[in-house]
Amino acid sequence: MENLETLPLEREDPFEPPAVLKEIHGPLHPMTYADGRPGWLVTGYAEARAVLDDPRFSNTSQGAAPPVKELTPPEGLADLVIPPGFFIAMDNPEHSRYRRLLTGHFSMRKMRRLEPRIQEIIDGQLDEMARAGAPADLVTAFALPIPSLVICELLGVPYGERAHFQNATAQAVNFDNSIEERGAAGAELMGYLSELVGRKRAEPGEDLLSELVSGGELTHEELTGVATLLLTAGHETTANMLGLGTFLLLCRPEQAKLVRTDPGVAESAVEELMRYLSIVHIGPIRVARADVPLAGQTIKAGQTVTISLPAVNRDTTRFPDPGRFDVTRQAGQQLGFGHGIHQCLGQQLARLEMRLAYPALLRRFPGLRLAVPDGEVPMRPRATIYGVAALPVTW
């Protein structure tokens, strides 16, 4: 079994996994991590679910080897401390304690109540696009503001302050920045949210953050960590999916027509876009607590395992003809939202935003098309979340 030298990120085709992932066979591969330690890359669907389900694999960052050099911590900071409340990087029982407080806020019932307001937000952005006229950058006019407005409203962040956290978040996840620059951006974001938590404590409103403050179960530091996680996760991934997904649909006009004209296609289209694009292209990452047999190999205790979602979501054992993009495909088992106890808390919110936004955009602007050749659309291959840096369009 040939050893893989670090995790490949560069995509030769903006919509396809890195070519090296197509050249390797089998569901589990030895990989040399960026700090020289040996570990594993999971590319099989069943194996990925097994890892994400198995409590013998830790989700904390402690002891993890970096799959790309940009994630290598500065010297002396090998074991970075997880901020209080940042439960995405915690194992049980700490993880379940935080998640229990939040699950009800992201239930299907709560999402149904939010749907009319989300549709209003989408329609408002489309109105602004129409008023401003063509051409436009769909990222700044559509993909970024919609999830930002939604998560601002949910958490109680004043919308006028969204530019602050958008910029800080973008800098924190951009691998073109040094790790010190990314750390400074993360600290700036947490500082802003710490101040916001203080405001909510003094003057609570009718929002999720105010409810968590009033509940009294979390400290100020925990509330800041929870708010940081929800705010970044609540807009960064959805914004990149709206941008990159629209780019793909504009390059596949027959598929875009189905989304525009058939109301029954929106749900399956979202799942297929998640599967086909797999914008979470670094991880999930786990560390084995014990020796674990997997796919005929033994993952040793202490070794790091990285799951490649672009490869997993193209596994032929789960998705027939996986290289074909088909918005009518039933791809509901794609792993873009994860699996197991760490499955994305806000997945139903993200699904709802995309299910409403793609058809609304294509119906409002039926002549929507790229304003530059598709090869000139700038990509973000070295960000933690893959996507387009800008999407120039006209209509």
Side-chain angles (χ1 to χ4, degrees):
M1 184 182 296
E2 187 177 348
N3 189 72
L4 195 66
E5 295 294 329
T6 74
L7 180 70
L9 296 181
E10 302 291 340
R11 304 191 187 197
E12 295 77 10
D13 181 310
F15 309 126
E16 294 290 322
V20 67
L21 293 178
K22 297 181 178 183
E23 296 167 3
I24 56 180
H25 302 284
L28 181 67
H29 310 275
M31 185 173 82
T32 301
Y33 278 69
D35 60 3
R37 281 185 282 173
W40 299 89
L41 182 70
V42 176
T43 57
Y45 181 89
E47 290 72 19
R49 284 176 63 102
V51 169
L52 295 174
D53 257 339
D54 194 331
R56 291 176 294 178
F57 290 99
S58 172
N59 191 47
T60 72
S61 60
Q62 294 179 340
V68 292
K69 63 181 177 60
E70 292 88 348
L71 284 176
T72 305
E75 190 173 348
L77 293 176
D79 288 320
L80 297 175
V81 177
I82 301 169
F86 208 81
F87 62 92
I88 194 174
M90 296 178 182
D91 294 326
N92 280 339
E94 291 85 359
H95 169 265
S96 60
R97 171 179 170 248
Y98 292 108
R99 192 165 180 122
R100 172 181 54 82
L101 297 174
L102 293 161
T103 300
H105 294 281
F106 294 92
S107 66
M108 285 297 296
R109 184 176 65 177
K110 186 71 175 283
M111 294 306 102
R112 281 193 291 270
R113 292 209 302 267
L114 277 175
E115 183 169 343
R117 178 58 186 138
I118 294 174
Q119 187 67 64
E120 283 181 15
I121 288 171
I122 292 168
D123 291 342
Q125 287 306 128
L126 297 177
D127 288 344
E128 285 193 24
M129 275 183 62
R131 279 194 296 268
D137 174 10
L138 203 76
V139 171
T140 56
F142 179 78
L144 262 179
I146 288 171
S148 294
L149 273 166
V150 171
I151 200 66
C152 279
E153 185 148 323
L154 191 65
L155 288 179
V157 178
Y159 183 65
E161 299 173 11
R162 71 182 174 92
H164 181 88
F165 79 76
Q166 276 183 357
N167 179 66
T169 301
Q171 297 306 313
V173 301
N174 186 356
F175 283 167
D176 288 333
N177 295 331
S178 69
I179 194 164
E180 290 80 11
E181 289 170 327
R182 300 200 307 273
E188 180 185 348
L189 179 63
M190 291 194 72
Y192 163 73
L193 289 169
S194 176
E195 187 269 335
L196 181 64
V197 168
R199 276 190 268 163
K200 296 296 180 183
R201 197 178 300 280
E203 296 182 30
E206 296 182 1
D207 54 73
L208 190 158
L209 195 51
S210 293
E211 287 187 35
L212 291 175
V213 168
S214 302
E217 292 192 48
L218 300 177
T219 66
H220 183 93
E221 291 73 19
E222 288 175 316
L223 287 163
T224 300
V226 168
T228 302
L229 174 59
L230 294 180
L231 197 58
T232 52
H235 91 274
E236 181 71 14
T237 49
T238 306
N240 278 284
M241 271 303 303
L242 288 175
L244 186 60
T246 301
F247 181 21
L248 175 59
L249 289 168
L250 294 181
C251 292
R252 305 283 197 279
E254 75 288 351
Q255 299 292 307
K257 182 179 179 181
L258 287 172
V259 175
R260 184 175 65 249
T261 60
D262 186 346
V265 163
E267 187 171 342
S268 62
V270 167
E271 300 303 315
E272 176 70 344
L273 284 162
M274 288 287 298
R275 180 196 73 83
Y276 194 79
L277 295 173
S278 295
I279 62 169
V280 178
H281 64 157
I282 302 173
I285 300 169
R286 299 289 188 266
V287 178
R289 303 173 191 261
D291 289 0
V292 181
L294 185 71
Q297 305 292 322
T298 299
I299 297 173
K300 301 287 188 182
Q303 285 189 323
T304 302
V305 176
T306 297
I307 294 169
S308 172
L309 291 183
V312 166
N313 278 334
R314 299 290 186 98
D315 188 342
T316 56
T317 67
R318 180 61 189 84
F319 302 104
D321 194 10
R324 178 174 56 88
F325 175 62
D326 178 4
V327 295
T328 67
R329 183 197 298 265
Q330 299 304 306
Q333 294 299 309
Q334 55 81 21
L335 295 184
F337 290 113
H339 176 68
I341 65 168
H342 291 285
Q343 193 169 27
C344 175
L345 178 68
Q347 62 180 296
Q348 300 308 335
L349 176 61
R351 283 187 168 104
L352 178 58
E353 291 177 80
M354 289 187 282
R355 199 163 63 237
L356 296 175
Y358 289 125
L361 172 68
L362 295 172
R363 288 171 191 152
R364 183 66 177 275
F365 302 103
L368 191 71
R369 60 191 184 278
L370 294 176
V372 297
D374 55 11
E376 294 181 13
V377 172
M379 307 305 297
R380 305 172 67 228
R382 310 215 53 85
T384 52
I385 306 296
Y386 180 70
V388 292
L391 188 63
V393 295
T394 189
W395 55 87

